[in-house]
Amino acid sequence: MKVGSSSLTTAAGGLDSDRVDALVDVLARTRAAGTEVVLVSSGAIAAGLAPLGLSERPRDLARQQAAACVGQGLLVARYTASFARYGVRVGQILLTADDVSRRAHYRNAYRALVQVLAMGALPVVNENDTVATAEIKFGDNDRLAALVAHLVRADLLVLLSDVDGLYDGDPARPGSRRLREVRGRLDLAGIEVDSPGNSGLGTGGMVTKVEAARIATDAGIPVVLAAARHAADALAGRETGTHFLRTGHRAADHLLWLEHASSPCGAVRLTAQAVRTVAQRTGPLLAAGVTCVEGGFAAGDPVELLDERGQVVARGISSLDARELLRLQGRSTREVVPHDDLVPLPGAIASPVPEPARVRIRIRSAAEFARAASGGERSGQ
């Protein structure tokens, strides 16, 4: 379950004890029924505003980090006290985008989450805003929640909001309709999802929640987007909010990391035939299909795979370094990206491979054949 700042804090920026307790009541009952729970919680920066005398969320990174430094302790202390009413221990896990963009760190995050659950504690996950820089921030916890859901092999991702679901327009506008179910991307055609949250205390909006839902459902995890006050209904499977049905199957951990969390170290431009191969995952990428190498990546680094126009069609983990690939490109059958380390990106369309022109000529005699051949040469056919 992911909960945002606006669902935990007062308008002034401090933690709302009643809201925190209400959420903990729901999660504790769910846990007592035998379901493992991981909580991805925003609120550190918002909780630190009032103690530092700030009336609103600062825009500069340094003061955001200072607010997070003060607020994160208050946030976890409040969760610890509230869950203690049920005898539940809380374990804090702070992550930056760097922790999931590097493959080794990604595995470390997985081991930490699994061990905390195995030892009977409830993980409270948040972005480490105190040390995260603008270059390595998730930007919001919705995407983080989707990645964590995959890490722990969750059966359900619940995204709590200050809005009771996804609407086909501005929820405040008369006539806007709540979508009860989303089966895939086509159901979202024409839907306005670019408005931020209403509180001004968080960073995410509906667009980040829809993107998080896409990440999770593509990996085989259904998602419920609901208002925080309906958290119990969402966890109990009762009709509430918007239900995003899963659209894919669980991918290997490294493929989800590769698609959604990796930081490519270079790029490789491909022939039209190679684009077709990687976009349809019909085989590995061979050096013969490479036309250009960009960046100084090493073997084992993630790279972007581009079509002839420079558009990204896939990501892969290169088995060769850039220098070696430069020597082999266009003429070798060495594998650049194995089939199992390749992930096409959504919407990637393989460039068409043009068929050679064909000309039919009916031949009745050797003389006609000679005339047709010579005419064909003159016409360029």
Side-chain angles (χ1 to χ4, degrees), residues 60-373:
D60 60 290
L61 182 60
R63 289 197 299 167
Q64 288 179 13
Q65 291 174 322
C69 180
V70 173
Q72 185 63 38
L74 297 173
L75 181 65
V76 173
R78 189 68 197 84
Y79 276 129
T80 300
S82 190
F83 275 109
R85 297 177 296 141
Y86 296 92
V88 176
R89 295 182 300 277
V90 167
Q92 175 181 258
I93 297 180
L94 298 177
L95 301 172
T96 66
D98 200 41
D99 291 321
V100 295
S101 64
R102 297 186 182 185
R103 196 172 178 184
H105 293 198
Y106 190 81
R107 291 195 296 266
N108 288 339
Y110 164 75
R111 285 193 290 265
L113 281 161
V114 169
Q115 192 60 50
V116 170
L117 288 169
M119 298 184 74
L122 188 149
V124 177
V125 183
N126 195 5
E127 180 169 10
N128 194 346
D129 291 305
T130 300
V131 299
T133 64
E135 290 76 19
I136 62 171
K137 284 180 70 65
F138 286 99
D140 64 86
N141 273 347
D142 296 312
R143 179 166 165 261
L144 173 60
L147 295 172
V148 169
H150 189 276
L151 268 178
V152 299
R153 294 163 171 78
D155 299 301
L156 176 69
L157 170 61
V158 178
L159 300 173
L160 299 182
S161 173
D162 51 5
V163 182
D164 64 344
L166 175 64
Y167 282 73
D168 59 4
D170 187 342
R173 188 172 63 204
S176 294
R177 180 178 59 89
R178 176 170 60 88
L179 278 66
R180 286 177 166 76
E181 188 174 83
V182 174
R183 294 181 174 273
R185 292 183 179 87
L186 290 179
D187 289 350
L188 298 175
I191 303 298
E192 300 175 16
V193 293
D194 57 352
S195 57
N198 297 324
S199 68
L201 296 173
T203 58
M206 195 56 66
V207 65
T208 66
K209 291 172 177 56
V210 171
E211 174 61 16
R214 184 186 70 79
I215 294 172
T217 55
D218 281 356
I221 303 170
V223 176
V224 175
L225 169 61
R229 63 183 182 277
H230 296 152
D233 291 333
L235 286 172
R238 292 187 286 269
E239 199 282 320
T240 188
T242 300
H243 182 199
F244 293 81
L245 303 183
R246 56 187 178 187
T247 56
H249 300 285
R250 177 176 173 81
D253 287 339
H254 78 289
L255 292 183
L256 190 88
W257 162 81
L258 181 63
E259 180 176 356
H260 297 291
S262 65
S263 297
C265 300
V268 176
R269 194 165 299 211
L270 312 180
T271 64
Q273 181 61 56
V275 168
R276 186 185 296 275
T277 298
V278 301
Q280 298 177 357
R281 292 194 86 236
T282 55
L285 171 62
L286 305 180
V290 175
T291 62
C292 181
V293 179
E294 302 172 10
F297 54 87
D301 284 342
V303 294
E304 289 186 328
L305 307 180
L306 315 177
D307 65 15
E308 294 170 314
R309 297 166 295 179
Q311 295 181 340
V312 181
V313 295
R315 282 185 181 176
I317 300 174
S318 179
S319 58
L320 304 174
D321 62 40
R323 288 186 178 182
E324 187 176 10
L325 181 53
L326 278 169
R327 295 196 301 269
L328 299 173
Q329 70 177 51
R331 59 184 178 83
S332 173
T333 57
R334 286 277 301 277
E335 276 191 357
V336 180
V337 178
H339 179 269
D340 291 340
D341 291 336
L342 177 67
V343 57
L345 299 184
I349 302 175
S351 301
V353 179
E355 292 289 336
R358 292 183 172 87
V359 178
R360 287 185 177 179
I361 303 175
R362 273 188 301 183
I363 304 299
R364 292 188 176 87
S365 66
E368 286 187 12
F369 175 81
R371 286 196 297 274

Side-chain angles (χ1 to χ4, degrees), residues 10-14 45-46 48-58 63 199-201:
T10 66
I45 294 178
L49 298 182
L52 291 177
L54 298 172
S55 59
E56 61 183 14
R57 183 188 178 96
R63 289 197 299 167
S199 68
L201 296 173

